[in-house]
Structures are given as structure tokens and as C-alpha cells.
Amino acid sequence: MHQLILFGPPGVGKGTQAALISEKLGLSHISTGEILRKAVAEKTELGIKAKEIMDMGNLVPDEIMNGIVKEALASTAEGGFILDGFPRTVAQAKALSEIFRDLGHNNVKVINLTAGDSEVTARLLKRGRSDDNEETILNRLKVYYDSTAPVKEFYMNMGIVTDVNGVGEVEDISRSLLSCI
Ligand code: AMP
């Protein structure tokens, strides 16, 4: 059973690759960004709270995100999964370790997709989601380096990280990803 965390900066292609790989391997694709965007569209209590935070490119509070992921993982306990966009802070990573322990997931791998700042910025500007304007992108990159990059160190210390080059053709990147999971 594949237990995967797809990690990397905003715009590196986590969503695209997670969708392709989950389809190919029959995994549950858990995208916290998608869960939040759905809540925003449905104007739920969570969505109303999250909208402003997302529009600024900031992070939704850890306790909220941890609860969302706990529920999502508990309901996919039977099969494998690929986490896309979570964890984004060391506190989330620690909470996730507890969730994994409770669910008996002990074979987790982290794939770190890589691309430079200018590459991901250009991609995000082209994508044109509502949080893909220049100001928000700059903040999302800052938040990534300040709060999210340390998560990679957390997992490197556990010896479970594999780097994969995220620059190139989508299919080639998928192949590299599949070859290391
Ligand atoms: P994404 O689709 O992964 O780029 O996420 C879009 C936005 O949703 C982010 O810029 C954050 O505002 C929010 N978000 C998604 N995942 C998380 C998370 N794990 N922790 C906090 N905020 C998140």
C-alpha cells in the first residue's frame, strides 16, 4: 500500500502529478488546497474563514488543517494515499506523525519535487487561479521558505525523502516519480 507525501514549493506541479499518480496506482488523492477551495465555493463556515487567508497566500491555522487531514485519512484507511499540500508546517508534520501512528501507517515516503523560484513563479502566473496574482505568489513563496521548507528537514532527519526534478515534460516527471515509489 503506497503511503505518499508529495512535497515542494507552490507551482512545482504537486497537484498535476498527484492526480496522475493517484489515478495510475488507485490511490486516494488528498489535496488540502482542493478541500479548502471546495469549502470556499460552498460557502461553508470553513470556507468563509479560509477565503481571506488563501487570497493573501497565508496558511490556514494548523488545528483546522490537522482536523481536515485526520478525517480524510481515516476515511481512506483501506487503500493507499497521496497527500498533496500537507503538511506545510512542522507542527502539521508532527500532528501527521501521530495520525499515521494511530492508523498504523508505517511505510510513508516523501517525494520532494524541485524547481527554482523563477520557474514556479512563471508557472503560477500562467495558471491564473484567483490566488495566482504577483503579490500573492510572492507571499506564498515567502511562506514556503519560512514555514514549509523546514518540513523537508524534519523528514530528511527521518531518512524518508527522495528528490525528483519537477522541471520538464509532465509525462517524464510522472515516470521519474513512479520509478521511485
Ligand atoms: P494549494 O492548492 O496547495 O496551493 O493551496 C492553496 C492555499 O490553501 C494555500 O495557499 C493556503 O492558503 C491553503 N492551504 C492548503 N493547504 C494548506 C495547509 N496544509 N496548511 C495551511 N494552509 C493550506
Side-chain angles (χ1 to χ4, degrees), residues 86-139:
F86 187 96
R88 264 178 157 95
T89 65
V90 171
Q92 289 180 9
K94 288 181 177 164
L96 185 59
S97 294
E98 281 187 25
I99 297 169
F100 284 155
R101 201 194 48 210
D102 291 348
L103 294 172
H105 295 332
N106 51 16
N107 189 25
V108 177
K109 287 188 185 137
V110 179
I111 299 185
N112 178 43
L113 261 185
T114 62
D117 286 358
S118 51
E119 171 82 19
V120 298
T121 304
R123 286 192 202 176
L124 290 171
L125 282 171
K126 237 196 291 182
R127 185 172 68 178
R129 214 167 65 191
S130 70
D131 56 346
D132 288 338
N133 59 75
E134 214 158 338
E135 197 187 338
T136 304
I137 291 170
L138 266 180
N139 189 45

Side-chain angles (χ1 to χ4, degrees), residues 18-174:
L20 286 169
I21 284 168
S22 57
E23 166 91 22
K24 186 135 195 161
L25 300 178
L27 310 176
S28 298
H29 176 189
I30 302 174
S31 160
T32 46
E34 279 303 321
I35 292 170
L36 292 170
R37 278 186 288 280
K38 188 161 175 273
V40 170
E42 290 171 354
K43 296 195 167 66
T44 63
E45 202 181 320
L46 165 67
I48 291 162
K49 208 184 247 178
K51 185 176 184 336
E52 214 178 308
I53 299 173
M54 294 169 78
D55 282 344
M56 292 192 300
N58 289 327
L59 296 179
V60 173
D62 289 335
E63 317 80 70
I64 296 179
M65 298 313 301
N66 296 343
I68 289 173
V69 167
K70 186 174 182 171
E71 201 181 290
L73 279 171
S75 59
T76 61
E78 290 299 303
F81 59 85
I82 182 159
L83 273 170
D84 156 16
F86 187 96
R88 264 178 157 95
T89 65
V90 171
Q92 289 180 9
K94 288 181 177 164
L96 185 59
S97 294
E98 281 187 25
I99 297 169
F100 284 155
R101 201 194 48 210
D102 291 348
L103 294 172
H105 295 332
N106 51 16
N107 189 25
V108 177
K109 287 188 185 137
V110 179
I111 299 185
N112 178 43
L113 261 185
T114 62
D117 286 358
S118 51
E119 171 82 19
V120 298
T121 304
R123 286 192 202 176
L124 290 171
L125 282 171
K126 237 196 291 182
R127 185 172 68 178
R129 214 167 65 191
S130 70
D131 56 346
D132 288 338
N133 59 75
E134 214 158 338
E135 197 187 338
T136 304
I137 291 170
L138 266 180
N139 189 45
R140 273 155 65 203
L141 278 176
K142 182 181 181 317
V143 168
Y144 175 77
Y145 287 112
D146 289 350
S147 306
T148 306
V151 173
K152 190 181 144 198
E153 309 302 317
F154 178 87
Y155 287 125
M156 284 197 356
N157 290 333
M158 291 167 69
I160 59 171
V161 180
T162 308
D163 286 332
V164 170
N165 180 6
V167 183
E169 296 296 325
V170 169
E171 293 76 19
D172 295 334
I173 298 166
S174 270

